[in-house]
Amino acid sequence: MPDRTRTTPTASTTPTASTTTASTTTSPTPTTSPTPTTPRRSDATRTAILDAARERFAADGYERATIRAIAKDANIDPSMVMRYYGTKEGLFAAAVSVDLRMPDLTALPREEAGRGLVAHFLTQWEENEVLTALLRVGITNKSGAERMQGIFREQVLPVARQTCPDPEQVPTRAALVATQLLGLALTRHVLRIPAAEQLSRGEIEAWLGPTIQRYLTAPSP
């Protein structure tokens, strides 16, 4: 009997000739609108701190003025003062930027230079509370002393150079001028010696003007 084996045909799988590709639409990455950069230091806050610091330093002096008192005057938290200025010394240095608005002595008759400089500083000491505060601090504090030295070096020295007959003597003459101008402010506005306070502007100019004039223009002794 013939062997009739049923052969199951193997299904031939023919690959599909056409492959359907899904079309995918890629959405563009949304662009994030730049966030406005927050200023590191708020101008309004800094102004409030510096205004309060100047008044407090002038009223209490460097040693007695505190960060807490300054912050209270500025209506802010003490931590904000430290955040902006780091230390009391840093705050003081920022608060006492002083422009003496020095006059041009070459615009005056040479013999009037001394009196003109005295008149100018009388106005500065009377109207510039920051300068008076700096003088108070400079008496006992190294930072204040260095700041005052810098102001006179940068602002008074060039004025002395305008009238000094010997360029090599400019530092010495400027230092002598400073002894009188600082001494006047110390006795009149810090120590408040009655006799010094009672002098009128005209009297001070008459007494001190010739001395400053000599320091500026007289031949070297």
Side-chain angles (χ1 to χ4, degrees):
M1 183 174 180
D3 184 13
R4 294 180 180 177
T5 305
R6 293 182 64 185
T7 305
T8 303
T10 303
S12 176
T13 304
T14 304
T16 304
S18 60
T19 304
T20 303
T21 304
S23 175
T24 305
T25 303
T26 304
S27 299
T29 304
T31 303
T32 304
S33 298
T35 303
T37 303
T38 302
R40 185 179 177 185
R41 296 179 177 175
S42 164
D43 289 341
T45 302
R46 283 187 296 167
T47 298
I49 293 172
L50 292 178
D51 287 346
R54 291 183 184 113
E55 291 181 8
R56 182 61 60 176
F57 284 132
D60 295 348
Y62 179 83
E63 299 299 337
R64 292 176 55 200
T66 64
I67 293 294
R68 186 174 297 276
I70 291 169
K72 182 179 179 181
D73 293 343
N75 294 316
I76 61 172
D77 189 89
S79 64
M80 294 296 289
V81 180
M82 303 304 289
R83 174 187 171 190
Y84 291 148
Y85 297 102
T87 63
K88 179 178 172 180
E89 289 80 4
L91 172 60
F92 181 75
V96 296
S97 298
V98 176
D99 181 2
L100 296 177
R101 302 175 188 174
M102 296 299 293
D104 179 9
L105 295 185
T106 61
L108 298 174
R110 183 177 174 81
E111 64 276 8
E112 292 294 323
R115 187 161 187 155
L117 197 56
V118 173
H120 178 77
F121 268 89
L122 279 171
T123 299
Q124 288 293 308
W125 293 123
E126 290 169 1
E127 298 180 357
N128 194 332
E129 294 181 358
V130 178
L131 185 58
T132 305
L134 180 58
L135 180 61
R136 289 195 183 104
V137 173
I139 295 172
T140 58
N141 180 268
K142 181 180 179 182
S143 176
E146 290 175 349
R147 174 65 68 171
M148 184 66 82
Q149 291 167 11
I151 290 172
F152 269 76
R153 180 175 60 252
E154 295 164 8
Q155 300 185 47
V156 177
L157 203 64
V159 172
R161 190 173 289 114
Q162 294 175 2
T163 58
C164 180
D166 185 348
E168 293 184 359
Q169 294 180 340
V170 168
T172 298
R173 291 175 182 258
L176 290 171
V177 168
T179 64
Q180 302 301 307
L181 298 177
L182 290 174
L184 169 65
L186 181 64
T187 56
R188 188 173 171 87
H189 298 289
V190 177
L191 300 178
R192 295 189 178 278
I193 295 176
E197 283 190 292
Q198 292 165 9
L199 288 169
S200 68
R201 287 179 61 101
E203 289 174 321
I204 293 173
E205 291 175 20
W207 279 102
L208 204 54
T211 300
I212 298 296
Q213 183 73 36
R214 182 166 63 88
Y215 289 156
L216 290 173
T217 62
S220 178

